């Protein structure tokens, strides 16, 4: 009897300056050159995201944060999220959108869990060290990946019930044939 292959899930913490990307056992960042703005920056990020999502069974994207003082760059960031979702759609890759509070809840047990607490949880629970520039973006992306695999029936680690509630507040696509 052959066991089913673990689905390829990619987590994305989208940002205009440092996008976090994660797959099972790895993290990366996408960082446009300093001073690049507007369409060239968006195109650069979307092209690099496309390199990472090829062949994915599911992409899990962090949704918008309605706090944190990002009003001055809201339009470009919203555009980036739409462009990445469109890139998934064009490739027929299902995607999920996870609110930041659900990502923090899944990682730390608190919807208001700090970036540092999320990073520590990724190191402790999954054994993945997120260090250096982009460490919080990488950790967020790893939690999104873990949430996607958990949703599909392939949890990377045991997660307390209090943390699993983060899965409930997320927008999951209907995926037939991918769960265990």
């Amino acid at each position: 009897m052959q066991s089913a292959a673990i689905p390829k899930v990619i987590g994305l913490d989208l940002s205009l300056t440092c996008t976090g990307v994660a797959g099972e056992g790895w993290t990366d960042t996408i960082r446009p050159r300093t001073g690049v703005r507007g369409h060239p920056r968006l195109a650069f990020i979307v092209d690099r995201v496309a390199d990472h999502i090829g062949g994915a069974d599911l992409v899990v994207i962090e949704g918008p944060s309605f706090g944190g003082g990002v009003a001055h760059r809201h339009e470009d960031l919203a555009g980036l999220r739409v462009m990445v979702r469109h890139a998934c759609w064009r490739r027929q890759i299902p995607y999920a959108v996870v609110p930041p509070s659900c990502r923090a809840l899944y990682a730390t047990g608190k919807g208001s869990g700090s970036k540092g607490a999320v990073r520590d949880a990724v190191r402790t629970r999954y054994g993945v060290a997120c260090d250096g520039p982009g460490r919080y973006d990488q950790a967020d992306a790893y939690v999104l990946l873990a949430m996607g695999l958990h949703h599909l029936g392939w949890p990377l680690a045991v997660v307390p019930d209090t943390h699993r509630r983060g899965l409930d507040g997320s927008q999951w696509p209907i995926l037939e044939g991918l769960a265990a």
Side-chain angles (χ1 to χ4, degrees), residues 6-7 19 21 24 37 47 51 56-57 62 73-74 76-77 100 107 110 117 123-124 134-135 150 154 160 162 166 180:
I6 295 175
T19 289
V21 183
E24 187 183 0
R37 301 273 187 264
D47 288 348
D51 292 342
D57 296 301
E62 185 166 291
R73 60 182 192 264
H74 170 74
D76 278 356
L77 188 54
K110 295 179 185 176
R123 182 186 312 266
T124 302
R135 62 191 171 274
H150 194 151
W154 296 87
T162 53

Side-chain angles (χ1 to χ4, degrees), residues 10-169:
I10 301 295
L12 297 173
D13 178 28
L14 297 174
S15 166
L16 296 171
T17 57
C18 184
T19 289
V21 183
E24 187 183 0
W26 61 269
T27 64
D28 198 0
T29 57
I30 299 169
R31 299 174 63 104
R33 287 187 336 269
T34 303
V36 175
R37 301 273 187 264
H39 289 284
R41 174 167 59 181
L42 295 174
F44 175 83
I45 296 168
V46 172
D47 288 348
R48 298 297 80 74
V49 164
D51 292 342
H52 285 290
I53 66 172
D57 296 301
L58 176 65
V59 172
V60 184
I61 303 166
E62 185 166 291
S65 172
F66 295 106
V70 295
H72 66 283
R73 60 182 192 264
H74 170 74
E75 188 169 323
D76 278 356
L77 188 54
L80 176 61
R81 282 193 300 273
V82 169
M83 291 171 73
V84 167
R85 291 186 344 236
H86 186 74
C88 291
W89 176 81
R90 287 185 60 108
R91 290 162 180 78
Q92 299 182 340
I93 300 170
Y95 61 86
V97 178
V98 173
S101 61
C102 291
R103 184 240 330 123
L105 178 62
Y106 187 84
T108 69
K110 295 179 185 176
S112 60
S114 71
K115 293 284 194 178
V118 170
R119 185 185 85 159
D120 292 346
V122 168
R123 182 186 312 266
T124 302
R125 186 169 292 122
Y126 306 109
V128 175
C130 300
D131 296 313
R135 62 191 171 274
Y136 301 126
D137 308 299
Q138 292 172 42
D140 287 352
Y142 206 84
V143 172
L144 296 166
L145 148 80
M147 292 177 77
L149 282 170
H150 194 151
H151 173 74
L152 294 176
W154 296 87
L156 289 176
V158 174
V159 178
D161 290 340
T162 53
H163 295 49
R164 274 197 301 265
R165 293 178 300 142
L167 295 169
D168 298 335

